[in-house]
Amino acid sequence: MEISGALFPAAENYGYGMIQNLNINGLLSYIPVNSTSTSDEGDYQTQKHGIIVDERKRRRMISNRESARRSRMRKQKHLDELWSLVVRLRTENQSLMEKLNQLTESQEQLLQENAKLKGEASDFFRMLTGLQMGSPYTTHMRELEEVPCNTFDLIAESSTQSNE
């Protein structure tokens, strides 16, 4: 049996005399201690608490969404910076590769030119030696043949002459 939210034992469990002998304190023991307000006030408090909880959840959800949005923006910015760096490094690498190819090609040309000039110098020395066998300058020609021909010296002379 239920009376205004309090539960009482059913009358079938007790004889008629038992209910008559129950005093008011016994009945009051079945009423919850915290139920000093009416059920309407309790519903209002529960609704108010529910609204506050819902508001907190809603604010937390908005805050989480904003935080996730900022995180995605930071991630996108970092990704854009990395792509920019990749493009810059690829361009720089391409430029360096072209410069290396040009220098390698230039070195090959210089080595070929150096070999050609050494061959021509050798031919000239043989011609001069043949022409001046009886000449008093023969000793000077032998001294010139003994001078080493260094590629580095030729390149340095070439660059000095082209800068002037």
Side-chain angles (χ1 to χ4, degrees):
M1 171 183 333
E2 186 175 319
I3 300 176
S4 71
L7 297 175
F8 292 94
E12 297 83 35
N13 295 340
Y14 301 99
Y16 180 73
M18 185 75 153
I19 292 180
Q20 287 178 347
N21 290 338
L22 288 174
N23 60 19
I24 192 74
N25 288 334
L27 291 174
L28 289 175
S29 68
Y30 289 104
I31 299 174
V33 177
N34 295 338
S35 70
T36 57
S37 63
T38 63
S39 65
D40 288 343
E41 288 176 6
D43 289 345
Y44 175 75
Q45 290 294 331
T46 303
Q47 286 176 350
K48 185 177 176 183
H49 179 69
I51 289 171
I52 291 172
V53 169
D54 288 345
E55 180 65 20
R56 286 180 185 163
K57 284 182 182 178
R58 188 182 67 75
R59 277 188 274 153
R60 191 177 329 115
M61 188 169 54
I62 290 170
S63 175
N64 287 345
R65 284 180 184 165
E66 183 63 24
S67 177
R69 185 186 66 78
R70 285 191 308 268
S71 177
R72 285 190 303 271
M73 287 176 62
R74 279 193 307 271
K75 184 178 178 181
Q76 184 63 45
K77 181 181 176 185
H78 183 64
L79 187 61
D80 291 344
E81 289 171 356
L82 289 176
W83 272 114
S84 177
L85 180 63
V86 165
V87 169
R88 186 178 60 79
L89 290 175
R90 283 183 178 169
T91 303
E92 184 178 347
N93 188 36
Q94 183 67 30
S95 174
L96 290 172
M97 291 295 286
E98 288 173 4
K99 190 173 184 176
L100 177 65
N101 288 337
Q102 289 172 351
L103 289 173
T104 303
E105 193 175 305
S106 177
Q107 180 191 18
E108 282 294 320
Q109 289 174 351
L110 288 173
L111 289 174
Q112 289 174 359
E113 185 178 349
N114 190 22
K116 179 183 168 187
L117 289 173
K118 281 183 180 181
E120 288 178 5
S122 177
D123 290 344
F124 286 135
F125 283 127
R126 269 187 257 133
M127 266 184 6
L128 284 174
T129 305
L131 290 175
Q132 299 176 358
M133 282 302 255
S135 168
Y137 300 110
T138 308
T139 57
H140 295 295
M141 293 299 289
R142 286 190 190 125
E143 289 175 5
L144 286 176
E145 286 179 358
E146 293 172 1
V147 173
C149 182
N150 189 347
T151 306
F152 180 74
D153 293 332
L154 291 174
I155 292 172
E157 286 179 26
S158 171
S159 65
T160 305
Q161 290 172 358
S162 64
N163 288 338
E164 294 174 355

